[in-house]
Amino acid sequence: MRHKKSFNHLGRTASHRKAMLSNMAVSLIMHKRITTTLAKAKELKKFLEPLITKSKDDTTNSRRVVFSYLQSKEAVTELFKEISIKVAERPGGYTRIIKLGTRQGDAAEMCFIELVDYNENMAKTQAKKTRRRRSTKKAEAPVVEEAAVATEEATPAE
């Protein structure tokens, strides 16, 4: 029986699934955003977020544990040098999944998964939301006074 077996097998054997998630995690670490199916992205999120949390503690043991999952020295170096510093104050939620619609060939749900702190477009939209519109009444009054002062200065010279 399959009671309480919660993770998605993705139609693969255990070794194939482990290799696929490892390769996808390396690609996400190196490129900061990848496009994949929704099911794979959800499993990748569960696979990668504990590794990013472990990378915050830069010790030899944590590097070895992360390397045992990723099997890529370049990705481990990138994770510990850049990504862990950028997400140091974030308590979790290091990745974001954004749905793109369905794939034309097989109607699979497509999405892209990205590291949250590396998307400049999302950061810009957050800044725009905090701006407030100001009243123009105060801005108009000083402009009129400056124009009147300028004409008064011009008349005594004549």
Side-chain angles (χ1 to χ4, degrees):
M1 288 189 286
R2 138 167 233 295
H3 299 300
K4 291 290 194 176
K5 306 285 192 231
S6 62
F7 71 96
N8 191 345
H9 293 279
L10 300 172
R12 288 162 171 80
T13 61
S15 59
H16 186 186
R17 188 171 51 250
K18 180 182 174 190
M20 182 193 66
L21 289 173
S22 175
N23 289 334
M24 289 175 67
V26 168
S27 295
L28 183 60
I29 289 169
M30 299 307 283
H31 300 291
K32 312 302 186 256
R33 175 191 286 182
I34 59 173
T35 303
T36 184
T37 62
L38 187 62
K40 288 179 187 174
K42 287 179 179 178
E43 287 302 310
L44 179 60
K45 189 171 191 167
K46 286 191 241 178
F47 181 83
L48 185 63
E49 295 218 359
L51 298 181
I52 296 175
T53 302
K54 189 160 283 289
S55 74
K56 288 181 178 182
D57 181 31
D58 191 4
T59 61
T60 305
N61 184 51
S62 63
R63 279 182 179 264
R64 286 177 178 165
V65 169
V66 170
F67 180 76
S68 72
Y69 283 94
L70 297 180
Q71 297 294 317
S72 170
K73 289 181 182 178
E74 295 83 17
V76 171
T77 303
E78 177 87 10
L79 182 62
F80 278 85
K81 296 256 185 196
E82 287 186 28
I83 296 172
S84 65
I85 293 169
K86 206 157 191 180
V87 299
E89 69 277 352
R90 186 177 288 276
Y94 311 111
T95 57
R96 173 187 301 126
I97 295 175
I98 298 178
K99 294 180 183 179
L100 298 175
T102 57
R103 186 164 51 195
Q104 190 171 4
D106 59 355
E109 281 280 333
M110 296 301 289
C111 67
F112 63 77
I113 181 169
E114 65 183 2
L115 295 173
V116 171
D117 292 324
Y118 284 89
N119 189 346
E120 295 82 23
N121 296 334
M122 293 296 249
K124 288 179 186 175
T125 57
Q126 294 295 333
K128 288 181 181 178
K129 288 182 181 178
T130 59
R131 289 182 62 183
R132 299 257 162 66
R133 186 174 176 182
R134 295 193 176 184
S135 174
T136 57
K137 294 177 185 176
K138 293 179 183 176
E140 291 175 4
V143 173
V144 173
E145 292 174 9
E146 290 174 9
V149 170
T151 55
E152 290 175 8
E153 291 175 1
T155 52
E158 293 174 3

